[in-house]
Amino acid sequence: MPTDTSGLGDFDQRIEVLVIPVSDVDRSRDFYVRLGWRLDVTPPWVVQLTPPGSATSVQFGPDLTPATPGSATAFLVVADIVTAREALLAAGVPVTDYFHRTPEGFTPGLDPHRATYSTRATFPDPDNNTWILQEITTRLPGRE
């Protein structure tokens, strides 16, 4: 894989906001606030929320994207998936059971070694946009 850092890679580039398609802005705002996400100050035509500890926010609002509500998929990274899943369930969010990656593919349950990047669960927002909850305890080199 090429590792050339010349050209466009020579300046800072950060993903700061993901636009997610929703059908009901108020319902979606209430859902993400219930998850403990910070409601950011924005212009009146957009709602922006930021998960605790995240440098990236989500935005939605009328006519922000032509994407169909429910068509987005994103990762929500946590240090302890058991604690995160229990908190989501306590908030009334339907979260799948744990599953983890093996050489043969995904299999049910927590990774037996709780290896970083391995265990996941998913949950939908009110429009069925999919959030993949992933446990990361140690970052791979270059991802710190």
Side-chain angles (χ1 to χ4, degrees), residues 75-92:
F75 279 77
L76 184 64
V77 172
V78 296
D80 182 337
I81 198 165
V82 172
T83 299
R85 183 175 179 275
E86 289 173 359
L88 288 166
L89 289 169

Side-chain angles (χ1 to χ4, degrees), residues 36-133:
W37 295 19
R38 182 187 70 231
L39 182 60
D40 298 331
V41 176
T42 61
W45 60 86
V46 66
V47 173
Q48 178 172 305
L49 295 112
T50 306
S54 181
T56 303
S57 303
V58 297
Q59 279 186 357
F60 45 84
D63 304 317
L64 281 186
T65 178
T68 303
S71 63
T73 299
F75 279 77
L76 184 64
V77 172
V78 296
D80 182 337
I81 198 165
V82 172
T83 299
R85 183 175 179 275
E86 289 173 359
L88 288 166
L89 289 169
V93 177
V95 185
T96 66
D97 288 333
Y98 308 108
F99 56 97
H100 65 281
R101 184 175 291 282
T102 68
E104 294 77 37
F106 287 108
T107 192
L110 290 167
D111 178 83
H113 306 289
R114 297 292 291 271
T116 193
Y117 293 95
S118 294
T119 301
R120 300 176 183 182
T122 65
F123 67 92
D125 77 357
D127 283 291
N128 287 317
N129 291 303
T130 301
W131 287 97
I132 301 170
L133 196 62

